[in-house]
Amino acid sequence: MLFTNATIITVNAKREIIQNGSILVRGNKIADIGKTQLLLEKYPDETTSDLTGRIIIPGLVNAHMHTAQTLLRGSADDLELVSWLCERIWPLQGNFTPEDGYAAARLSIAEMLKSGTTCFLESMFADRYGFDGLCRAVDEAGVRGCLGKIVMDVGTYASDPKWAMHPGLVENRETSLLGALNMHEKWNDKADGRIKVWFGARTPGGVSEGLYKEMTALSREKNIPITMHCAEAPADRTFFASKNHTPMSYCSSVNLLGPQTVLVHMVHLDETDIAKLAETGTHVVHCPSSNTKLASGICKVPELLTAGVNVTLGTDGAPCNNTCDMMSEMRLAGILHKVAKMDPTMVPAETVLELATVNGAKALGLADSIGSLDIGKKADFVVLDMRAVHLQPWFNPVSAVVYSATGRDVEHVVVDGKLVVENGKLLTMDEEAVWQEAERRSKEVVARAGLTNEVGPRWPVV
């Protein structure tokens, strides 16, 4: 297929924007890209799709996602992090079945695809959710998934016994670490290479130092990347101080830092932490919606970028964001730091789009194949229909994408050369069946957890 007459934001090495541009897809790769007139002359017999009035961007990379939690959207609003976890999210997740996990994964993936995410990093999929079901959902939907299987052996938050996990979520070394190795052997590189299996380590305090060291050694031996929440809340900083460490000195002591590690949130850092991240090539995921909604704080993105740290973007889970829309996440990432620094030049739109595309691809070890629109890379891209009153006029296409568009403006999505969303409709899943099953199962989970009265309206219902 030859996609013609669009404005193409390539995010290539030269950061070129091609006006009246075309992309030729053959197999699962971009075979050619350039001006429409030239490509029509080169490929006169190619089937074409006219995209006049549209903008094409690389597929968005959601570098931090909890696919199971989408089933719990809106169940824990307006709570601070530890209460959010211990009183709502963990008890709910502790009552999941593998069938619930599969339904939640399908709901998450459907929403991500429809809003322009073509690749995501699942942070911590618990054994009880059914990892096989997650992989099956990725395979069936046609999305690209880096899937973190949880690694843990301590059932509290930040080693504080009063912040205990629900018993249904507690795993040991055999279930978590060895289970992750089994899933890596079974699923890594499956679904035409779209599935990658990662270690999804729990936050420091949720993993013993011995298990961290065993996991990091296996990571290097078997080339299995690691993702982990870190320095998200003040309680995390207190935990590190109790060990006579800063966040990054602790991570260094258990061999977590390096280019195969993606650390998430990273709100409570000092200058030495930032320098250590840059020195080791460790990646950072910024989750502005989650951090603001849970009042965790503001990640020092300008300082991290200035230091040379690779920063990318993630939505986090639906109970602390309420949406899996990376387009909306980009907008907040572009405006949050302006007011935090009282400087409107902070984190411009071009930087934000880099966070969500090329930087995400780099963090996931996929920079050679996705993240920008280049000849020879995988055909992962998103078409935004700009022919709408809320998007007109626009002068800078990057600004229009970051500050004006939302996921609802996504018209087409191509992953691995295949059209998976067309005219805003999913082609790989029955969308109505997905949300109807999710609606039913979400209520069943809440009922099993005994939280039906707690998650409902706070105002009287008549």
Side-chain angles (χ1 to χ4, degrees):
M1 178 73 75
L2 183 61
F3 297 85
T4 63
N5 298 313
T7 297
I8 303 174
I9 305 173
T10 65
V11 201
N12 64 12
K14 295 181 180 180
R15 300 299 191 259
E16 291 172 317
I17 298 171
I18 305 173
Q19 292 183 326
N20 195 20
S22 291
I23 296 177
L24 176 65
V25 175
R26 284 187 175 161
N28 66 351
K29 293 186 178 180
I30 297 173
D32 209 344
I33 186 169
K35 290 286 192 179
T36 294
Q37 182 178 348
L38 293 176
L39 266 63
L40 285 174
E41 291 173 357
K42 289 173 69 175
Y43 311 103
D45 300 324
E46 198 72 42
T47 303
T48 62
S49 176
D50 184 1
L51 298 181
T52 300
R54 282 76 152 190
I55 292 175
I56 300 178
I57 61 173
L60 300 175
V61 178
N62 186 348
H64 183 61
M65 175 64 184
H66 293 268
T67 50
Q69 287 184 357
T70 308
L71 208 64
L72 309 177
R73 192 196 320 265
S75 64
D77 291 334
D78 307 323
L79 297 173
E80 56 83 29
L81 177 62
V82 175
S83 297
W84 179 89
L85 272 175
C86 298
E87 297 171 15
R88 294 284 177 85
I89 300 305
W90 281 344
L92 289 166
Q93 292 180 159
N95 279 279
F96 265 53
T97 66
E99 292 76 19
D100 297 328
Y102 176 64
R106 280 165 53 82
L107 182 67
S108 300
I109 293 167
E111 183 180 356
M112 286 192 286
L113 284 175
K114 281 173 63 71
S115 55
T117 291
T118 58
C119 180
F120 71 96
L121 174 54
E122 158 62 47
S123 181
M124 285 191 308
F125 207 78
D127 188 72
R128 74 171 300 120
Y129 309 155
F131 197 85
D132 287 316
L134 171 62
C135 295
R136 193 168 76 252
V138 170
D139 186 10
E140 294 165 349
V143 74
R144 202 176 294 281
C146 298
L147 310 177
K149 168 72 175 67
I150 196 167
V151 175
M152 66 165 293
D153 59 350
V154 180
T156 59
Y157 187 92
S159 294
D160 193 320
K162 72 175 181 289
W163 296 334
M165 295 183 76
H166 186 278
L169 288 177
V170 177
E171 298 185 30
N172 57 23
R173 171 184 175 274
E174 287 69 28
T175 306
S176 64
L177 180 67
L178 300 188
L181 290 175
N182 289 336
M183 290 298 101
H184 184 270
E185 183 176 347
K186 182 176 181 179
W187 285 104
N188 194 61
D189 281 330
K190 293 297 191 293
D192 298 322
R194 288 183 286 106
I195 292 176
K196 306 292 182 184
V197 178
W198 287 42
F199 289 133
R202 274 203 64 214
T203 309
V207 184
S208 66
E209 293 185 9
L211 190 60
Y212 268 139
K213 290 178 179 178
E214 184 178 5
M215 178 190 68
T216 54
L218 286 167
S219 169
R220 288 158 175 77
E221 175 190 340
K222 296 181 178 293
N223 197 30
I224 303 176
I226 299 167
T227 187
M228 184 185 77
H229 298 66
C230 190
E232 178 180 5
D236 296 316
R237 190 81 199 199
T238 301
F239 168 79
F240 292 122
S242 74
K243 302 290 185 179
N244 296 314
H245 276 294
T246 71
M248 292 306 96
S249 68
Y250 179 88
C251 289
S252 180
S253 73
V254 293
N255 305 317
L256 271 166
L257 302 183
Q260 277 196 299
T261 296
V262 175
L263 298 179
V264 186
H265 297 300
M266 300 293 276
V267 172
H268 300 280
L269 305 177
D270 61 26
E271 291 181 1
T272 63
D273 292 321
I274 294 173
K276 195 69 174 175
L277 289 164
E279 174 191 334
T280 57
T282 307
H283 311 279
V284 169
V285 186
H286 180 32
C287 302
S289 292
S290 172
N291 295 158
T292 52
K293 189 164 182 279
L294 290 172
S296 299
I298 299 175
C299 179
K300 298 178 180 178
V301 170
E303 292 87 344
L304 288 162
L305 292 171
T306 297
V309 177
N310 182 54
V311 180
T312 183
L313 200 62
T315 61
D316 208 342
C320 57
N321 185 325
N322 298 66
T323 176
C324 306
D325 182 354
M326 277 285 287
M327 300 291 295
S328 297
E329 203 69 26
M330 284 198 291
R331 186 176 193 276
L332 182 56
I335 62 178
L336 176 63
H337 304 283
K338 301 180 190 314
V339 69
K341 297 291 185 182
M342 294 302 291
D343 181 352
T345 68
M346 287 287 106
V347 193
E350 288 77 10
T351 299
V352 173
L353 190 57
E354 290 171 339
L355 300 186
T357 55
V358 291
N359 289 19
K362 181 180 179 182
L364 272 52
L366 301 174
D368 290 341
S369 56
I370 66 169
S372 63
L373 302 178
D374 288 287
I375 295 173
K377 281 196 172 184
K378 296 293 177 67
D380 288 17
F381 60 87
V382 175
V383 178
L384 300 168
D385 190 350
M386 306 300 288
R387 303 170 302 169
V389 292
H390 66 286
L391 297 173
Q392 291 292 337
W394 55 267
F395 303 96
N396 175 350
V398 180
S399 293
V401 168
V402 171
Y403 295 132
S404 300
T406 73
R408 294 181 181 180
D409 300 309
V410 170
E411 183 179 23
H412 308 307
V413 178
V414 174
V415 183
D416 213 38
K418 296 181 176 66
L419 196 62
V420 295
V421 175
E422 184 176 27
N423 298 319
K425 302 295 183 183
L426 282 167
L427 301 182
T428 54
M429 286 186 276
D430 181 337
E431 185 176 341
E432 185 174 2
V434 167
W435 71 255
Q436 286 182 345
E437 183 180 12
E439 180 185 38
R440 174 176 61 84
R441 289 191 174 278
S442 67
K443 292 175 181 176
E444 292 173 356
V445 169
V446 170
R448 285 198 297 270
L451 293 174
T452 301
N453 293 332
E454 283 76 7
V455 303
R458 292 187 288 266
W459 287 353
V461 177
V462 296

